Amino acid sequence: MTDAPHDIAAAELLTVRDFIRYGVSRFNAAGLSYGHGTTTAFDEAVFLVLETLHLPIDQLEPYLDARLTTAERRGVAEILEKRVTTRKPASYLTNKAYIQGFPFYVDERVIVPRSYIGELLFSDYFGGEEFAIVEDPPSVERVLDLCTGSGCLAILAAQVFPEAQIDAVDLSPDALEVAKRNVADHGLEDRITLFQGDLFAPLKGRKYDVILTNPPYVDAEAMNALPAEYQQEPAMALAAGEDGMDIVRRILKEASKHLTDEGGILCEFGTGREILEEDYSKLDFLWLQTANSFGEVFWLTRDQLKAAKL
């Protein structure tokens, strides 16, 4: 009987470097898809190897030539093989995702967190000296994370807005169970309140200084062509109608009612900028830039929404 690939790898490979090289080769040969926190076979292999070995995922160099124990080799070889055979995103295999260095528990009940908003929250857009959409983050009293999923943006917001009480809403009870675990893991039960319901419906007129939202925004054509990795995620966290803008339109219609006089909304919505600018020609969207995106996240104030009669 022929040994399985991971058994051969566990027997013949010795170091972290060996397993990363092997992982890259296996992933490339299998034609895997990425985008759940990594964008290349190398980054995916590094994440899986270091996370499986309980090593810091941002400190590869000190460990590259470290030899692994027999048990460690077996564990790493098995998880690399699972990535190929199951096509599950790496974060589902490790039950761990990171945004801005903060760890979050994830499983198949939630989309793997990967929002550009995480980067923006820790940028000069919030509290920067030259240009900021929120000039004084400590003065923010109430924040809403709409479509919270795993709760990651609410938890990051708690770091950026140290005095704020934060509400987080999701339609999925299963997703909120994951969010509840993450809120507890970060010790934020006294600052973050979770609500189950459809967008603003469970909030009963509450108003916020800042609304953050990374809603579903995948259009019907893209949903039908999703790679296997993305098909493992909850469809309700991705699908948003024929052009992908169904949920964003609903949010824009209701947002001004839930913003304080000086409040604003930060929304990530994918690549539908032309659609939004055509549909809402009276809105002066402020498009924010990240290291890997431009025109996929906008900021609007309550005054702008009201002026456009939204």
Side-chain angles (χ1 to χ4, degrees):
M1 189 173 82
T2 304
D3 288 336
H6 63 274
D7 290 328
I8 297 172
E12 297 184 356
L13 304 178
L14 297 177
T15 67
V16 169
R17 188 190 301 271
D18 290 340
F19 279 98
I20 290 172
R21 195 285 307 159
Y22 172 76
V24 172
S25 295
R26 287 288 288 137
F27 296 171
N28 285 339
L32 301 186
S33 295
Y34 311 101
H36 296 90
T38 68
T39 57
T40 68
F42 174 77
D43 289 344
E44 189 93 339
V46 168
F47 172 77
L48 280 170
V49 171
L50 294 181
E51 187 65 33
T52 302
L53 294 172
H54 307 288
L55 294 172
I57 62 166
D58 58 350
Q59 295 181 24
L60 173 60
E61 189 63 32
Y63 308 105
L64 263 175
D65 294 310
R67 293 166 63 97
L68 307 186
T69 68
T70 300
E72 287 174 333
R73 297 202 306 270
R74 187 179 299 116
V76 172
E78 287 177 354
I79 202 164
L80 292 175
E81 192 64 19
K82 282 182 180 179
R83 180 65 181 88
V84 172
T85 58
T86 68
R87 295 293 294 268
K88 288 185 177 182
S91 288
Y92 286 162
L93 298 174
T94 62
N95 295 122
K96 188 72 67 68
Y98 295 85
I99 299 183
Q100 295 297 304
F102 290 86
F104 300 99
Y105 173 87
V106 295
D107 61 30
E108 286 86 345
R109 291 175 291 178
V110 295
I111 192 173
V112 177
R114 49 188 180 270
S115 176
Y116 294 130
I117 291 175
E119 178 184 338
L120 291 168
L121 283 172
F122 289 87
S123 73
D124 285 344
Y125 286 121
F126 292 86
E129 294 183 0
E130 293 186 9
F131 173 77
I133 55 178
V134 176
E135 294 181 356
D136 184 24
S139 71
V140 171
E141 296 180 356
R142 299 201 64 86
V143 175
L144 170 64
D145 176 18
L146 202 59
C147 306
T148 192
S150 61
C152 58
L153 292 184
I155 291 165
L156 293 180
Q159 320 303 320
V160 176
F161 307 109
E163 303 301 323
Q165 289 294 313
I166 299 162
D167 292 341
V169 178
D170 205 279
L171 183 59
S172 166
D174 287 340
L176 288 172
E177 286 299 312
V178 176
K180 181 179 179 181
R181 174 171 177 166
N182 280 317
V183 169
D185 286 349
H186 288 268
L188 291 168
E189 300 100 319
D190 61 335
R191 294 187 56 205
I192 297 177
T193 304
L194 302 175
F195 292 86
Q196 192 274 323
D198 187 10
L199 298 180
F200 297 104
L203 299 175
K204 300 179 180 178
R206 295 188 181 206
K207 294 191 176 185
Y208 302 90
D209 303 307
V210 176
I211 296 175
L212 308 172
T213 183
N214 182 19
Y217 55 71
V218 181
D219 64 51
E221 181 179 357
M223 284 296 297
N224 291 331
L226 286 177
E229 284 82 354
Y230 291 83
Q231 293 177 27
Q232 312 258 0
E233 296 182 292
M236 68 181 294
L238 299 170
E242 190 64 29
D243 65 1
M245 293 292 109
D246 284 6
I247 309 300
V248 175
R249 290 189 182 95
R250 291 181 57 204
I251 291 171
L252 287 174
K253 183 178 179 181
E254 299 293 327
S256 66
K257 301 174 186 176
H258 295 275
L259 286 168
T260 59
D261 290 346
E262 303 298 322
I265 179 171
L266 188 66
C267 175
E268 179 176 337
F269 67 100
T271 57
R273 175 175 175 173
E274 292 183 359
I275 296 172
L276 280 187
E277 289 184 326
E278 181 176 347
D279 286 358
Y280 299 94
S281 58
K282 294 182 180 179
L283 276 177
D284 185 18
F285 293 96
L286 175 61
W287 304 107
L288 305 186
Q289 184 172 358
T290 72
N292 296 302
S293 74
F294 182 71
E296 298 185 44
V297 183
F298 65 76
W299 170 260
L300 287 169
T301 65
R302 176 183 180 274
D303 287 346
Q304 289 173 312
L305 291 165
K306 295 289 285 186
K309 297 184 179 180
L310 291 173

